[in-house]
Structures are given as C-alpha cells and as structure tokens.
Amino acid sequence: MGAVKSTSLSGISQTLLWTLHNRASKSRFGRIFFRDPAAEKLYLQVPYEYELYFGKPDVSHALWSHIFDRELRQWLKSHPSNQVIELGCGLETQYQRCGNGSVKWTCIDLPDVIALRRELLPESNRCRYLSADVKSGNWAHQLSTQQPVFISTQGLLMYFYPAEVKNLLSLIAAKFPNATILFDTIPPDFSKRTMNGYWKTKQYRVPPMPWGIARKNIEKTFWHWLPYANRGDVFPYTKVNHFVAKLLGFASKVPLIRNKLPYVVKVTVNSL
Ligand SMILES: C[S@@+](CC[C@H](N)C(=O)[O-])C[C@H]1O[C@@H](n2cnc3c(N)ncnc32)[C@H](O)[C@@H]1O
C-alpha cells in the first residue's frame, strides 16, 4: 500500500476493518450464502492484525450485507439507471457485488477513508467517491436530487446520537423526494454496553454507539421523525439460509428477546 495506511485509521473509521474482516473471512471460508471476491482481495491487500483486534470473524456483517444486496437488487430491477449512494462506505464492495453497468453510484466517507479507498479500489465513471462528513449535509448538494435514489447506510447510524440520526434522515427526506433508505440498527442494551466501554478483545475497544433502538419503537420513531415517509419495513432474517439467521428469525418473534436484537430497516420516501 502507498501513502495511506490502514493502521492510521482510528475511531469510527477503524471499524471499516472490522466489517471487512467479517465479510471477507466468511466469503472465503464459510459454507455460505454470501460471496464477495472483491472483499477477499482487499483483505489480502490490507495488512492488519485483524484477529488480534477484532477476534474470530463472525457471520453478522455477511448477513446484513446479504439483506442489503437483496433489497438493492430488487430496487435496481425497476431503477436500473438511477442513483445509488453509500453513506459511510468504508471499504465496502457492494458496488462490485451489485453494480449492473448502468446505475450511477457514489460512495461517501471521511477524507482518510476516501483516500485509502481511492488507492485500493480506483474510482470510475460509474462509481464516484466523495469525501465528506455525512452529518454536514454538504454532500447532498453535489448529487442529483431529482431522480430516484437508493441510499445504502451500513454500519453507520449507530455511531451517531439520536438527534444526529434524525437530522440526517430528515435531510435525506427533504433533499431526495424519491428515496429508499436502508440501514441497520442495534438494540439499546448493546448501545449502553459500548457507551460504558466495551472491549471486544484485549486490544480493541469498540467506539461508543450512542444510538440504539428497540424493535417495538422502530416504526413509531420513523413515522414521527419522517412525516414524508410512506413506507417502512423491518426485515426478518429467516429468508437467509444460515442457522444464525434462522435463530435470529425465531428470536425476533419471542416477546422478551425481540427488543434486544439488531435489525435492517428500509424507509421509503416519496414526496413528489
Ligand atoms: C462500521 S464502518 C462501515 C463501513 C462500510 N459501510 C461497511 O459496511 O463495511 C463505519 C464507516 O462510517 C464512516 N463514518 C463514520 N462517521 C462518518 C461521518 N460523519 N461521515 C462519513 N462517514 C463516516 C467511517 O469512516 C467508516 O468507514
């Protein structure tokens, strides 16, 4: 690697190596529903003591990405040449997995991360990169706001405070009148754990994740935050053929447990 080193990443930006670790390892070694050759290649290219920091890989991020890809591919069937925006893209390779040759894709992240991404995954006409703090909202002025857009926001919103999440989602709804927004949530118990200082391994303390939301509050929170939203879906895991997905699917139906699980949520805004 050239000028930018993965080891110079810290705080929330360092977490992109955690998701890469999980996705690439599961793609490489799992007997699994999820394949990501571009992530496997990156994993070999980016030297890092992955297990020392993040522990043994688990299936979580492959599971989320599988759901994200499924929803995006479904949307692309009716919007093959429109626009996809990935917020907090890190080194995610969703474009490599789902790009169809005609969709216009924009990946947005903080400057250090975009510099690293440019070195490892060169930008192209179809897949452009923008260096921006997504909370600032400046990025939205640089993109076409009139055409339908799919906004993929994986592993990001939990690192923001609830008011910041509300502001970001409201900004998207106001700027993009025809938007499908997909994001993942964590439960309040896990959020509290990170706020109290959660060491994933002896070497790695997970950055605080101030925004957690219980299953029972998801719909009502988004209807309240986003009056323009005309549809909200919370995805079951059970459609994925993996025992952890089946277990989560079962747990999501058990009253005492369902509020203690992570979810993938889709909100559709159509204010045209
Ligand atoms: C857990 S990683 C997820 C990366 C990628 N989406 C994935 O699934 O592999 C979180 C990402 O959010 C980015 N991020 C954090 N705060 C941000 C902000 N305010 N604006 C833009 N990106 C941000 C980090 O730099 C990092 O790349």
Side-chain angles (χ1 to χ4, degrees):
M1 244 190 316
V4 187
K5 290 201 165 66
S6 57
T7 44
S8 64
L9 298 174
S10 62
I12 308 177
S13 296
Q14 190 182 10
T15 62
L16 70 87
L17 297 167
W18 180 8
T19 50
L20 176 65
H21 174 49
N22 277 340
R23 267 196 301 266
S25 306
K26 286 295 155 188
S27 171
R28 220 167 145 200
F29 300 118
R31 275 172 292 145
I32 200 170
F33 52 89
F34 179 76
R35 287 276 168 240
D36 191 340
E40 290 180 36
K41 192 170 161 210
L42 279 177
Y43 195 56
L44 298 175
Q45 272 176 293
V46 179
Y48 200 74
E49 295 194 89
Y50 290 97
E51 287 211 0
L52 185 70
Y53 283 89
F54 307 122
K56 294 267 177 232
D58 66 57
V59 78
S60 55
H61 296 111
L63 195 52
W64 301 170
S65 292
H66 178 78
I67 298 173
F68 272 67
D69 290 0
R70 187 183 70 204
E71 291 309 307
L72 174 57
R73 287 193 179 110
Q74 191 61 31
W75 184 86
L76 283 173
K77 282 185 192 161
S78 45
H79 304 88
S81 307
N82 289 121
Q83 186 178 205
V84 174
I85 303 174
E86 245 184 288
L87 300 181
C89 58
L91 291 178
E92 162 62 303
T93 40
Q94 193 177 30
Y95 173 75
Q96 285 71 12
R97 296 193 303 271
C98 302
N100 61 1
S102 56
V103 68
K104 291 181 247 0
W105 204 292
T106 305
C107 295
I108 306 181
D109 208 300
L110 297 169
D112 279 5
V113 174
I114 290 298
L116 181 65
R117 190 176 173 95
R118 282 206 167 100
E119 273 191 32
L120 296 163
L121 295 166
E123 222 171 335
S124 66
N125 280 345
R126 290 263 153 237
C127 183
R128 293 173 48 228
Y129 300 165
L130 257 182
S131 167
D133 177 343
V134 297
K135 287 188 266 186
S136 78
N138 291 337
W139 54 273
H141 306 302
Q142 302 182 50
L143 298 168
S144 159
T145 54
Q146 290 315 306
Q147 57 171 309
V149 61
F150 188 99
I151 301 192
S152 186
T153 306
Q154 208 180 152
L156 177 68
L157 299 186
M158 61 286 288
Y159 294 104
F160 296 168
Y161 282 89
E164 294 172 328
V165 179
K166 176 179 184 244
N167 287 345
L168 177 60
L169 295 177
S170 307
L171 173 125
I172 293 172
K175 292 273 178 202
F176 299 92
N178 188 338
T180 300
I181 315 164
L182 198 64
F183 52 91
D184 47 336
T185 64
I186 56 161
D189 286 355
F190 188 66
S191 164
K192 271 193 208 118
R193 199 167 159 196
T194 66
M195 297 306 279
N196 292 331
Y198 165 43
W199 289 86
K200 179 144 188 10
T201 61
K202 280 189 185 148
Q203 306 296 326
Y204 185 65
R205 185 176 171 163
V206 173
M209 299 183 183
W211 185 53
I213 185 164
R215 174 66 188 86
K216 63 178 181 195
N217 293 328
I218 289 179
E219 282 90 347
K220 61 182 173 203
T221 299
F222 293 110
W223 295 145
H224 177 60
W225 282 0
L226 293 175
Y228 319 106
N230 63 353
R231 206 184 142 83
D233 296 291
V234 181
F235 291 106
Y237 308 94
T238 37
K239 288 184 186 164
V240 181
N241 191 17
H242 189 275
F243 78 96
V244 174
K246 305 275 176 221
L247 202 64
L248 284 167
F250 172 74
S252 68
K253 296 195 177 74
V254 180
L256 284 177
I257 305 178
R258 70 195 300 258
N259 288 315
K260 298 178 183 296
L261 299 178
Y263 290 94
V264 176
V265 177
K266 179 167 81 175
V267 174
T268 309
V269 175
N270 196 339
S271 55
L272 282 177

